[in-house]
Amino acid sequence: MLWQALTTVRDLGRLHDIASILIRYGFGDMVRRMGLANALEKAGRALHWSDAQEFAHLPPPARVRRALEDMGPTFVKLGQVLATRVDLFEPEWITEFSKLQDSAPPLPYDALRQQLTEDLGAPPEDIFAAFDPVPVAAASIAQVHRARLKDGSEVVIKVRRPGIRPVIEADLRWLARLAELAEAQSPELRGFHPQEVVRQFSRSLRNELDFAVECRNAERIAENFAGYADPDEPLGGPGDLSAEAAAEPPPPAGPVIVIPRVYWQWSGERVCVQTFIDGISGRRLAALDQAGLDRKMLARRGARAVLKMIVEDGFFHADPHPGNVFYLPGNRIAFIDFGMVGRLSELRRDQLTRLLLGLVKHDSARVADVMLDWTGNAAVDEDGLTLEIQAFVEQYHGVALKQLKLGGMLSDLVAILRQHQLELPADLSLLIKAFISLEGMGRELDPDFEMASEAMPMLEQAMRARYAPAAVLKRGWHAASEVFSLLAGLPRDLSRLLRAARRGRLEVHIDVLHLKRVGNQLDSAANRLVVGIVVAALIVGSSIVMTVPGGPSLLGLPLFGLLGFLGAVAGSLWLLLSIWRSGKADRE
């Protein structure tokens, strides 16, 4: 199958690079089992197996992370997506994947100017009052330049690297093929669901290549925060203000949460023009004290903002790491880079609310119900899983609210699912990763930060809103409409069913799990039986021919009898090899 996939010389060269890197980091056995070595040797590409000992001393998570870095930007971004799959990987793997940083040497402005002119509709010098040809940041997909509009507004221009899409599409093709081979050939990798992970990653990366999608995400989040005000300003309420804080005038008014404005007249698939955020990066925490900003207030405001996106809006920034957060005067917060976002349906938000309230209030039955809902139709020992979840929740009974670490509790719950070989839906994987990152940022800002205390009022408000009379009436009306539609269509469906039965065209389709595999096994068994009968016939017929005098001979033996015996030997060898392969596949 892999040999048939070798369609172009370009892809073959890329496969050679990937296989060489895997061998260098000690994954040569995987290269052999996936058939990559044989395919490349047939194509005349030699692999250097002697490089396998170079990084053998590193633990497997570190070797995988280093290999992803060497394989290029597509694989670095794959590692960043894997860092969100806390349901599939142990914490040490998540830690290594989280170290992957997307950076690349900047392209010279001359290499970008023609494409930028095409996308803007005119040369940058004609559109902007000032344009800095030196990028302020550069990554594998894009780089960012500063500019000033003719009305004096400062903006940033995110430009996609020329020719990057064909390169990424080639890598995605090989990732899909490698995932298919890994799932088919490697029992160890099959548990990580490589094909599903690659499908999720491909969707995410293709969206990231289209800057118009990122711009629409930014506008949607900006709309959700329109008119948003901090529910508890200043920190601790008016009664907790110190004399010095009360004497100082408040900072200039402005939105508490800032989302960059998109200039759509110049934005599109390959370029994005947004307002420049002049603030302190989340990576420069020491600068916050120098600027006189309140770390405690920033931690609380950031937590409330992300919780609002998750619990109320169901549309959230899925990668809130320090590089995507800026702190502004007046203890305001700005979010940037909306290439990766998460979406939660109303059902998911309700499940999340019930789960977090169950953790905070030590309601093990509520937590177990939600976790079982998340497992879907997967085969699971419900009694065993429920007992483990109840034991986990009850160990926090009597623990003060401020001592609860919701991010760590969610990670431990996911570890329980992982032990039962269950996985979370993709939207929940992004959510939990964002939640853990949020709590970590909050504690970096304020060591006394209490995520549970911040989440509790919003969760209770969401639960009250769910059971408010208007909300209950709306859900009841929706359910009644669905029942009425079902009843209204019932006579028509029954009529069609009876008509099909009268005509003898009533069909019942039964989908039996693994039925195709059973059919293949029966077919293989039948083939072996036929070969066995033919071999037996050849042996008997050749024995009779050997006793008949006359006819051609070879080495003093009747030629046809000798050929019959040779055919029987070949058939026997094939039969033994087929049985051995079948037994090996069953053991795996």
Side-chain angles (χ1 to χ4, degrees):
M1 180 175 61
L2 180 62
W3 183 249
Q4 295 172 353
L6 300 177
T7 55
T8 64
V9 175
R10 177 193 60 186
D11 284 355
L12 182 61
R14 183 62 175 147
L15 176 63
H16 180 268
D17 294 340
I18 292 172
S20 299
I21 292 171
L22 290 175
I23 291 171
R24 187 188 314 149
Y25 286 96
F27 300 107
D29 184 58
M30 184 174 70
V31 171
R32 288 191 182 95
R33 282 192 291 173
M34 292 168 61
L36 301 182
N38 292 335
L40 288 168
E41 288 172 2
K42 290 178 181 179
R45 298 294 185 102
L47 293 172
H48 300 288
W49 298 96
S50 59
D51 296 340
Q53 303 300 320
E54 185 176 355
F55 297 98
H57 63 284
L58 294 175
R63 284 189 286 134
V64 170
R65 192 252 305 167
R66 296 278 296 272
L68 292 173
E69 289 176 339
D70 285 1
M71 284 190 284
T74 304
F75 293 86
V76 169
K77 290 190 174 295
L78 173 62
Q80 292 172 343
V81 170
L82 295 180
T84 68
R85 297 309 303 263
V86 292
D87 57 320
L88 296 180
F89 296 94
E90 299 289 344
E92 58 268 22
W93 287 88
I94 298 298
T95 300
E96 287 296 329
F97 290 143
S98 299
K99 295 178 182 178
L100 290 167
Q101 297 295 323
D102 184 18
S103 60
L107 285 177
Y109 175 60
D110 291 340
L112 294 173
R113 190 177 185 280
Q114 181 178 352
Q115 175 184 296
L116 188 56
T117 300
E118 294 174 1
D119 293 332
L120 295 175
E125 300 81 19
D126 297 344
I127 294 177
F128 304 106
F131 180 89
D132 189 354
V134 179
V136 296
S140 58
I141 288 180
Q143 60 188 46
V144 180
H145 294 259
R146 285 191 62 178
R148 186 173 66 252
L149 300 180
K150 293 181 179 179
D151 65 1
S153 303
E154 296 286 337
V155 296
V156 292
I157 306 170
K158 187 175 182 180
V159 186
R160 196 173 79 189
R161 288 177 176 256
I164 191 65
R165 181 179 283 277
V167 175
I168 288 180
E169 290 295 340
D171 281 347
L172 291 179
R173 286 196 301 271
W174 273 119
L175 272 175
R177 292 166 187 161
L178 292 175
E180 184 180 358
L181 287 168
E183 197 153 315
Q185 302 293 334
S186 176
E188 296 87 352
L189 295 176
R190 197 174 300 148
F192 294 103
H193 308 283
Q195 291 193 77
E196 187 274 332
V197 170
V198 169
R199 281 193 293 268
Q200 175 196 349
F201 167 66
S202 298
R203 287 194 302 269
S204 173
L205 187 53
R206 288 190 175 106
N207 284 337
E208 195 171 344
L209 283 173
D210 188 350
F211 293 165
V213 173
E214 178 181 343
C215 292
R216 288 192 291 271
N217 293 339
E219 284 204 333
R220 179 172 174 181
I221 290 181
E223 290 174 3
N224 291 338
F225 277 102
Y228 173 79
D230 186 69
D232 185 15
E233 184 181 3
L235 180 63
D240 294 337
L241 283 175
S242 64
E244 293 81 5
E248 294 180 1
V256 175
I257 303 299
V258 177
I259 308 296
R261 172 192 169 188
V262 177
Y263 292 87
W264 276 108
Q265 62 268 43
W266 300 302
S267 298
E269 179 185 350
R270 299 188 301 185
V271 64
C272 174
V273 181
Q274 292 181 315
T275 305
F276 172 70
I277 299 297
D278 187 11
I280 300 173
S281 171
R283 296 191 175 102
R284 299 172 54 218
L285 295 181
L288 297 178
D289 300 326
Q290 299 174 1
L293 300 183
D294 189 331
R295 288 196 180 198
K296 292 181 179 291
M297 181 178 288
L298 291 173
R300 296 181 67 180
R301 282 183 170 175
R304 290 168 180 168
V306 177
L307 285 171
K308 176 191 182 306
M309 294 188 221
I310 293 173
V311 177
E312 294 184 9
D313 305 331
F315 189 81
F316 60 95
H317 196 309
D319 194 21
H321 63 74
N324 289 337
V325 179
F326 285 84
Y327 302 111
L328 310 178
N331 295 312
R332 297 178 298 145
I333 300 175
F335 293 95
I336 65 169
D337 193 358
F338 299 93
M340 184 184 294
V341 295
R343 296 169 176 83
L344 294 176
S345 64
E346 186 175 351
L347 174 62
R348 282 277 191 264
R349 279 179 277 162
D350 176 58
Q351 291 173 339
L352 176 66
T353 301
R354 290 189 288 120
L355 175 76
L356 294 178
L357 279 175
L359 289 175
V360 172
K361 295 185 175 182
H362 316 297
D363 188 343
S364 58
R366 180 183 293 180
V367 174
D369 287 343
V370 174
M371 298 297 283
L372 288 173
D373 288 341
W374 283 359
T375 61
N377 297 324
V380 58
D381 177 12
E382 292 193 11
D383 293 337
L385 180 61
T386 301
L387 286 175
E388 282 197 51
I389 293 174
Q390 289 176 346
F392 167 76
V393 175
E394 287 172 0
Q395 70 180 336
Y396 291 97
H397 188 73
V399 178
L401 187 65
K402 63 181 182 180
Q403 296 179 355
L404 294 179
K405 296 182 179 179
L406 285 182
M409 295 175 75
L410 286 174
S411 297
D412 293 341
L413 278 177
V414 173
I416 293 175
L417 290 184
R418 190 167 54 243
Q419 291 169 5
H420 286 258
Q421 297 183 340
L422 299 170
E423 60 176 302
L424 291 175
D427 55 347
L428 293 173
S429 301
L430 281 174
L431 166 69
I432 292 178
K433 179 63 168 60
F435 207 94
I436 294 171
S437 299
L438 172 65
E439 186 168 34
M441 285 181 60
R443 292 190 181 274
E444 285 181 357
L445 285 167
D446 175 17
D448 298 326
F449 174 72
E450 303 169 7
M451 188 66 177
S453 300
E454 297 301 327
M456 191 68 174
M458 189 170 294
L459 296 173
E460 290 180 337
Q461 181 182 354
M463 190 59 69
R464 287 194 299 268
R466 173 170 174 78
Y467 293 104
V472 173
L473 182 61
K474 180 180 178 181
R475 289 197 300 273
W477 176 255
H478 181 69
S481 299
E482 290 185 347
V483 171
F484 179 76
S485 298
L486 179 63
L487 293 176
L490 188 59
R492 182 181 67 255
D493 294 338
L494 287 175
S495 176
R496 291 177 178 175
L497 180 64
L498 293 174
R499 188 182 302 117
R502 285 197 302 267
R503 295 177 179 177
R505 298 177 59 184
L506 184 64
E507 297 180 356
V508 178
H509 296 277
I510 301 177
D511 187 9
V512 180
L513 190 63
H514 303 311
L515 184 59
K516 182 178 179 181
R517 181 180 179 185
V518 173
N520 292 336
Q521 290 176 337
L522 290 174
D523 185 58
S524 178
N527 291 338
R528 289 199 293 268
L529 178 62
V530 170
V531 172
I533 293 174
V534 171
V535 168
L538 285 172
I539 293 173
V540 173
S542 299
S543 300
I544 295 174
V545 171
M546 285 289 189
T547 62
V548 177
S553 63
L554 178 67
L555 301 177
L557 298 173
L559 177 61
F560 294 112
L562 185 60
L563 292 177
F565 278 122
L566 291 176
V569 170
S572 301
L573 291 176
W574 179 90
L575 188 60
L576 292 173
L577 182 61
S578 175
I579 294 173
W580 178 77
R581 285 179 175 175
S582 177
K584 181 180 178 182
D586 291 339
R587 289 192 298 272
E588 291 179 351

